[in-house]
Amino acid sequence: SLAITYSHLGRHQDALKLKTKVLEFRKRVLPPDHPDIAISMGNLASTFSHLGRHHDALGLKTDVLAFRKRVLPPDHPHIATSMSN
């Protein structure tokens, strides 16, 4: 995706703008418990980390874990992924 390419080029501010828009879009058009929302939240958290905004990243990663625990079965592997990332 374009946002990932921006990140690879070190253009993290540009990636942040796009990933924020994607998350807002998905929250607007998808059901509130759709797993793609958690993916977008995790992607945005990674960009916060690249920008040195570790507190923002931690808050969002905590939200991703809570989201996944709420909408996925308790033994779903994405829950473990959220705990380890």
Side-chain angles (χ1 to χ4, degrees):
S1 78
L2 182 58
I4 291 171
T5 301
Y6 280 150
S7 289
H8 289 171
L9 292 170
R11 294 174 57 182
H12 301 297
Q13 282 297 120
D14 293 323
L16 178 67
K17 289 176 189 173
L18 280 179
K19 290 179 182 183
T20 300
K21 287 181 183 182
V22 169
L23 177 58
E24 290 169 355
F25 176 82
R26 285 183 168 171
K27 284 183 172 182
R28 191 174 64 250
V29 302
L30 296 173
D33 59 347
H34 197 284
D36 284 355
I37 293 172
I39 291 170
S40 290
M41 291 167 66
N43 290 342
L44 186 57
S46 293
T47 300
F48 282 146
S49 290
H50 288 307
L51 289 167
R53 293 174 56 181
H54 301 293
H55 283 66
D56 293 326
L58 176 61
L60 201 47
K61 288 180 181 188
T62 301
D63 292 345
V64 170
L65 177 59
F67 182 97
R68 287 181 167 159
K69 283 183 173 182
R70 189 178 74 250
V71 303
L72 297 173
D75 60 345
H76 196 284
H78 286 168
I79 293 172
T81 299
S82 292
M83 293 181 347
S84 68
N85 285 344

